[in-house]
Amino acid sequence: MKKYLITGGAGFIGSNFCYYMLDKYKDASFVCLDALTYAGNLLTIEPLLKKENFKFCHLNICDKESLEKLFKDEHFDYVVNFAAETHVDRSISNPDIFLKTNILGVNNLLELSLKYKVKRYHQISTDEVYGDLPLDRKDLLFSETSNIKTSSPYSASKASADLLTLAFHRTYGLDITITRCSNNYGPYQFPEKLIPLMIDRCLKDEYLPVYGNGLNVRDWLHVYDHCTAIDLVLTKGKNGEIYNVGGNNEKTNIEIVNLILEMLHKDKKLIKYVEDRKGHDLRYAINANKIRNELGWKPKFSFEEGLKETIRWYLNNQEWVKNIESGEYLKWMERYKNKENI
């Protein structure tokens, strides 16, 4: 039986990956590790906690001593690292935690993966490590060989983690793969992110804050399609390689906001332009030909279909949103931790 360690598995992308993998690989076992910071939510993965082939471990990847005991006891075949501080605005106001988690924590995972002979370590990265592209050059796309040119403490910490991962491959021969993905959206995304924030505020008829002129461009990918890409790279990707994962769905922020308003039948008067973010990247755009051509990956969702599905999910899961906004999910996690002693 193959055994997977999924770090950051109670977060947005990590939890979706847990659901995807448990549904697909019923004969494998999974350990989900999460530090349960503000963005980790045990309520998200509550249905999985009852499964025999799924174990949750409350642990920070910066706690090397506890992490080593876990590696020693469990004998993992695969490590998939989602654990990271990810919100750009938070990295600007408090870079320290980003450097600790996203660099030192990753170093711990790499050292232990090497020591305990993990078959493959997979690092979840981001297209933000490439910096940005000009708005008027739609012909320019980021490839896996594009230069690293970070703009925020967040992206700098993620680029550092990538370089560490590649160094462990070259220096020690650790089997690794890296995926750099464009912006994700879908179920269970923390409400501070653009799409769930706009959906939530639309439903409450509150103003929709849009940075600057709203013309910053991102490439969007449904989280389910990201999960299929990670699975494919983990099982069929070439050792030591980086794979870009993009949806080929370039949209300005204001386009996203207008689409959400249209789908929820709300007035555009709700839009309010606010002071732009410091160092706000203009445009991200991914060339995903490598994963498409070499591994045969392609996304299931068009952006419009994926956005409609996402809006439906948030409409049908208002209790999940309310538990986050009220802080009730934190109280539930404390009760669960005390009960289960995790």
Side-chain angles (χ1 to χ4, degrees), residues 10-11 34-42 84-91 97-98 190-193 320 324 329-330 333:
D34 204 287
L36 297 180
T37 57
Y38 78 98
N41 187 352
L42 265 182
E85 296 288 339
T86 63
H87 198 265
V88 174
D89 288 348
R90 291 176 183 265
S91 81
I97 187 63
F98 285 74
F190 203 76
E192 70 182 356
K193 299 293 187 175
W320 182 86
I324 290 179
Y329 79 108
L330 296 172
M333 288 196 296

Side-chain angles (χ1 to χ4, degrees), residues 191 200-201 204 318 320-329:
D200 185 49
R201 294 185 74 91
K204 296 173 180 174
Q318 281 295 291
W320 182 86
V321 177
K322 290 175 183 176
N323 280 330
I324 290 179
E325 292 177 339
S326 68
E328 186 61 33
Y329 79 108

Side-chain angles (χ1 to χ4, degrees), residues 118-151:
V118 166
K119 291 179 181 177
R120 170 158 288 179
Y121 172 89
H122 183 78
Q123 176 68 16
I124 305 296
S125 188
T126 170
D127 61 353
E128 294 193 39
V129 301
Y130 298 121
D132 62 355
L133 293 166
L135 294 176
D136 60 352
R137 289 291 308 275
K138 297 296 183 183
D139 58 311
L140 296 180
L141 301 171
F142 291 129
S143 72
E144 290 82 357
T145 58
S146 295
N147 291 332
I148 298 294
K149 190 181 178 183
T150 61
S151 302

